[in-house]
Amino acid sequence: MLPVSESTSSTRSRVGGAVVRKAKLPDAVNIFELVNSLSGDGTLLRRSYAEICENVRDFSVAESESGVFLGCGALHLYGPHLAEVRSIVVKPEAKGQGAGGRLLRALLEEAEDQSVTSVCLFTRIPDFFFHFGFRVVDRTVLPDKIYKDCQTCPRLYACDEVAMARGPIPRVAVLGPSKFDQPELVKLQAGSIAPHPQK
């Protein structure tokens, strides 16, 4: 289990007048607009509105006490061995108010509630995440992430993001095959499937 600070005890905690809660389908428009406002310079990968709607249950949102949308973040579950923090961003006018940290704490609490042992992310601002127990890792130790997103990313061979993880490096992977040959990360049970009898 991932250790989570006492400040993560409520998913509706207030920080600087902000409230963090699980996203609902009507939040998809705000999430779509905010995430894609940062896709032009490559800060975040562009997401289609359909993709946001399909994955809205992965998201948490921060909003003001009056219900104004301030930011969002998502937790993608690969399995009990790994989850990924994705698309964590706050509106420019909400920066410095603690909404980003509160979103991240809520996502880490969610990972703990799901009994996930390791959380990863890719970022250009690693200093922010060091404060939450993340460390820099080699991206090849995260084959699930590589297979899901990296192999189809236009910046695959020119990526300037830092891979980070919190918790033990997973020794298993659930996605594949991968262009990155690391079969030792996938546990296979040799001989567990009986051959079909010949007639």
Side-chain angles (χ1 to χ4, degrees):
M1 293 266 202
L2 297 167
V4 178
S5 69
E6 291 178 11
S7 59
T8 62
S9 60
S10 171
T11 56
R12 287 191 60 87
S13 294
R14 299 178 187 282
V15 173
V19 176
V20 174
R21 62 168 174 79
K22 286 297 290 178
K24 297 180 180 178
L25 199 51
D27 297 308
V29 171
N30 286 328
I31 294 169
F32 170 76
E33 290 175 353
L34 181 58
V35 167
N36 288 323
S37 73
L38 296 173
S39 66
D41 66 357
T43 300
L44 294 176
L45 289 176
R46 183 159 187 80
R47 306 284 181 196
S48 70
Y49 179 68
E51 184 181 1
I52 298 292
C53 289
E54 184 179 330
N55 296 291
V56 74
R57 288 172 290 189
D58 287 355
F59 281 88
S60 290
V61 297
E63 58 186 19
S64 71
E65 291 178 327
S66 60
V68 175
F69 176 80
L70 301 176
C72 64
L75 185 75
H76 179 76
L77 301 173
Y78 292 101
H81 66 296
L82 183 66
E84 178 191 2
V85 169
R86 303 165 59 95
S87 305
I88 188 162
V89 60
V90 296
K91 294 172 95 174
E93 59 268 30
K95 289 190 175 174
Q97 299 179 23
R102 183 62 209 137
L103 278 164
L104 181 56
R105 286 184 188 99
L107 298 174
L108 293 175
E109 180 182 293
E110 185 178 350
E112 182 181 25
D113 289 346
Q114 293 285 351
S115 299
V116 173
T117 56
S118 182
V119 177
C120 73
L121 57 86
F122 279 40
T123 184
R124 287 191 184 86
I125 52 167
D127 289 348
F128 174 76
F129 296 99
F130 285 135
H131 300 292
F132 296 89
F134 285 87
R135 67 193 183 286
V136 174
V137 297
D138 188 311
R139 68 188 64 238
T140 60
V141 304
L142 302 168
D144 287 318
K145 164 65 175 174
I146 290 171
Y147 182 73
K148 182 177 188 316
D149 292 317
C150 298
Q151 293 188 128
T152 57
C153 179
R155 293 179 302 165
L156 174 59
Y157 297 108
C159 182
D160 60 351
E161 292 187 317
V162 175
M164 302 187 80
R166 184 177 192 261
I169 298 299
R171 296 186 176 271
V172 298
V174 296
L175 297 179
S178 172
K179 289 180 184 175
F180 298 89
D181 186 23
Q182 298 228 358
E184 70 276 8
L185 295 178
V186 182
K187 287 185 177 176
L188 299 175
Q189 299 287 331
S192 61
I193 300 175
H196 188 59
Q198 298 285 338
K199 289 189 175 181

